[in-house]
Each structure stands twice: as C-alpha cells, then as structure tokens.
Amino acid sequence: MNHNDILLETKDLKKYFPVTQTFFRHRVLQLKAVDGVDLSIRRGETLSLVGESGCGKSTLGRLVLRLEEPTNGEIIFGGKNILHLDPNELRLLRRKMQIIFQDPYSSLHPRKTVQSIIGEPFIIHKICDRYDRQERVMKLMELVGLRPEHYNRYPHEFSGGQRQRIGIARALALNPELVVCDEPVSALDVSIQAQIINLLNDLQQRLNLTYLFISHALNVVRYISDRVAVMYLGRVVELSSSSELYKSPYHPYSEGLLSSSPIPDPNVIRKRIILKGEIPSPLDPPQGCHFHTRCLYVTEKCRIEPPPPWEEHGPGHWARCWLVKEIRRL
C-alpha cells in the first residue's frame, strides 16, 4: 500500500472507560470499548466496520473524530497525529472530518429550520455571509435530493429518509475529506435504505469522499464497501476486501456473522452457524482469545493464549486466529 494514499491511520488505539463498583467494596474496573486497533483507510475508499452491538464500532468512529479522547494510541490524519493538535489546529481539522449520525431525527434540532441546521457549520467556521450562506444551503439541499424551496421547513415536516438527507447535507457543508457514517440507514425502511446508500455512493464519486462506514447490516455493507473490518469486543479480528470476505471468511466470528445474513435468492441454501451464548462483558473479557467462549472450533490453546499477531493469509486478507488453516480445510 502506498503510504501517500492513506488518509487515516490508527495505531494501537485504545479507549477504556473507568467503571466504579461500590457493592461491599470499592474498586475501579476498566471497560475496554476499543482495545488496540490498527487500521488504515485509503483516500476515496469505503472501509466498513461490522460486528454485533457493543463491540466498539461507534466508539472507534468517535475516537477518530476526537469526539472521544483515546486512552492510548495514535490517530494519524493526512500524515499528522491529531492527538497533538492545539485547539485552533483541531478547529481547522473539523472541516475535513464529519459524521452522519444514526438517528436522523434526534440528530436535528427540532426548533431550527433546515436552513439553520445545514448552514450552522458556515456560521461556526465564519466562512460566508448570510446571503451566500442561503445560496450554499439551497445547493446542498439539491445535491442530496431535497427541494431547495423547502429550506424554511422544520425537521418534523420531513420523512425519515429526507431527514437523513438533511444530516448528509450538513456533513458535506464544509467539503470534508473523511465522513464517518455511524449506522446511517439502520433507522430507515428497507426501500429508503437503498436510496440513501445509492446517494452516498454517488456523492463519493462526485466529491471524492472517503467513508468509515459503521453498520451491523451485512447486506448493506456488502453493497457499499471496498474493504471490511470485523470487530469483536473492541478488537479487529479480520480485515479484507468486501468481495473476498463474503466469499471466504477466515475468522470463525466472521463466518458466524455471514451465516446469519439473509440471502435474497430463496434457492440458495447456506449452512447456518449459530453463535452460542452472549458477548462477554468488556469489563471482564475472557482469557486467551476473547471469542473462544462462543467459537465452534475452540481448542485449549485458544482458551489460554491470546490470538497471534496480524497475519496475511491471502492478498490483503488479514486475520487474528490460531485456527485459520484448520477452518480453511473444512
């Protein structure tokens, strides 16, 4: 990979939340939401983060935007470690990194018009005057498929899909390079999901955007992603191109996730793998491989020893598991 092509990179990124227990005795535990993540995103690509709820996907997305401060690690954007920026430099960085939130209604101020919501970034960063701002807002509304003449309406006057388009327009106001999409279609109807995904694809081509796409809907991820990173209990366990992951997953957790994803063709029969048990608590993750309590192929080594370092088992296909070769033979 050409290092000049990398827009965002994380190195050993961690986020631990202190949790105080006061029942009989006082002690502070560490909730390991993100536990040593190494990722890189190329310019113009879509890297998707997938995994069950509670695996740390959204926390990682907020970390790279510095909406949360990491416990440890590095976040390198455009060749600079953004954790070393002063407030003025960080303010300028905000123009280049934006987020689309999951809930298209609660992320919009109910008492502000669309013009105020989309135009707010221009005010905060003091980019243009009121008349120029109105013109830019109307162009952004047209860009995302909204009628510009509705700029004086309020969020409750729009449908869910239209409200998400407002959120997208707001995210694009400052011409960002990176957009974190935090489950942007999970709250929408299936037919509307397809429209928003098509819109995101179109905007990426037209504006040369880079996406970090967070989702648990594997059918959506398959359509929009260039590469997919699979997270489990705060760690990335597999990373691959989208086509290769869906064709041949290497990690048992990825295999289980894919087997639960619905197939649109009723004539195709897929072997169903049911992951047993619940996700362990990130306050007290299991010894050895975190996934061994739910793994179908678990061995004694998995219960005792942490997974091996990242290993490339195929071109661009990385996984951390002791049993990759054994699973591949099955």
Side-chain angles (χ1 to χ4, degrees):
M1 183 187 299
N2 188 339
H3 198 76
N4 293 329
D5 293 337
I6 298 176
L7 178 63
L8 177 72
E9 188 175 10
T10 68
K11 297 181 179 180
D12 195 29
L13 191 61
K14 298 179 181 179
K15 179 60 180 180
Y16 296 170
F17 293 97
V19 177
T20 303
Q21 289 189 337
T22 57
F23 187 69
F24 291 126
R25 57 180 180 174
H26 178 86
R27 63 172 180 166
V28 178
L29 302 177
Q30 297 289 337
L31 190 154
K32 299 180 178 180
V34 176
D35 193 16
V37 170
D38 297 301
L39 279 180
S40 60
I41 306 178
R42 305 184 187 101
R43 294 180 185 274
E45 82 163 338
T46 299
L47 175 68
S48 290
L49 281 175
V50 301
E52 295 167 285
S53 296
C55 71
K57 306 185 300 294
S58 293
T59 302
L60 179 57
R62 295 175 68 85
L63 285 173
V64 300
L65 296 172
R66 282 197 65 180
L67 298 178
E68 297 276 1
E69 292 298 320
T71 304
N72 188 44
E74 298 179 50
I75 305 170
I76 300 171
F77 181 85
K80 292 183 179 180
N81 189 341
I82 68 173
L83 300 179
H84 297 160
L85 301 181
D86 61 38
N88 289 331
E89 291 174 320
L90 184 59
R91 185 185 182 90
L92 291 174
L93 179 72
R94 298 292 187 201
R95 301 185 185 186
K96 301 179 181 180
M97 307 169 72
Q98 293 292 321
I99 184 170
I100 301 169
F101 294 99
Q102 177 177 356
D103 188 341
Y105 189 74
S106 63
S107 63
L108 304 177
H109 197 301
R111 295 185 180 180
K112 287 189 175 182
T113 63
V114 172
Q115 179 183 2
S116 298
I117 292 170
I118 300 177
E120 188 172 16
F122 299 124
I123 299 174
I124 293 173
H125 292 272
K126 301 177 181 178
I127 290 178
C128 54
D129 59 30
R130 184 178 61 172
Y131 301 104
D132 189 23
R133 183 166 64 246
Q134 180 176 326
E135 183 179 350
R136 292 193 183 198
V137 167
M138 295 177 73
K139 287 183 178 179
L140 283 166
M141 291 182 68
E142 189 173 6
L143 178 67
V144 299
L146 295 171
R147 298 178 66 176
E149 59 268 26
H150 292 165
Y151 70 94
N152 271 330
R153 291 189 175 184
Y154 291 87
H156 73 271
E157 299 180 83
F158 294 88
S159 67
Q162 289 173 323
R163 287 196 288 264
Q164 193 59 290
R165 290 173 188 265
I166 296 170
I168 294 171
R170 178 178 58 186
L172 298 179
L174 301 176
N175 298 315
E177 297 179 44
L178 173 72
V179 179
V180 175
C181 306
D182 188 4
E183 306 219 28
V185 297
S186 62
L188 305 176
D189 294 339
V190 174
S191 60
I192 307 302
Q193 287 183 12
Q195 294 177 21
I196 298 299
I197 291 299
N198 287 332
L199 173 63
L200 290 173
N201 274 331
D202 179 60
L203 292 171
Q204 183 175 42
Q205 298 300 318
R206 295 172 63 178
L207 305 177
N208 194 29
L209 297 172
T210 301
Y211 291 146
L212 175 60
F213 193 90
I214 298 168
S215 180
H216 63 270
L218 294 174
N219 55 333
V220 172
V221 167
R222 184 173 190 173
Y223 181 72
I224 196 173
S225 307
D226 296 302
R227 291 188 300 149
V228 179
V230 182
M231 286 192 72
Y232 186 77
L233 273 186
R235 296 177 176 177
V236 176
V237 297
E238 186 166 2
L239 175 66
S240 170
S241 67
S242 177
S243 58
E244 184 64 25
L245 180 73
Y246 282 81
K247 176 183 176 183
S248 181
Y250 285 178
H251 197 280
Y253 180 57
S254 306
E255 192 179 34
L257 286 179
L258 290 172
S259 76
S260 65
S261 179
I263 301 176
D265 188 348
N267 297 318
V268 175
I269 300 176
R270 175 190 285 164
K271 178 184 176 182
R272 182 70 188 273
I273 298 173
I274 300 177
L275 298 177
K276 57 184 180 182
E278 300 290 334
I279 301 177
S281 170
L283 283 170
D284 187 22
Q287 183 182 358
C289 173
H290 288 353
F291 185 63
H292 83 257
T293 58
R294 306 173 71 196
C295 182
L296 297 176
Y297 314 103
V298 62
T299 66
E300 192 61 30
K301 187 176 186 178
C302 304
R303 295 187 176 97
I304 299 173
E305 298 185 30
W310 273 112
E311 184 176 350
E312 190 173 16
H313 298 277
H317 197 153
W318 300 76
R320 293 190 65 191
C321 180
W322 292 114
L323 306 174
V324 169
K325 294 179 180 178
E326 287 78 359
I327 295 171
R328 296 288 293 151
R329 286 200 295 263
L330 296 177

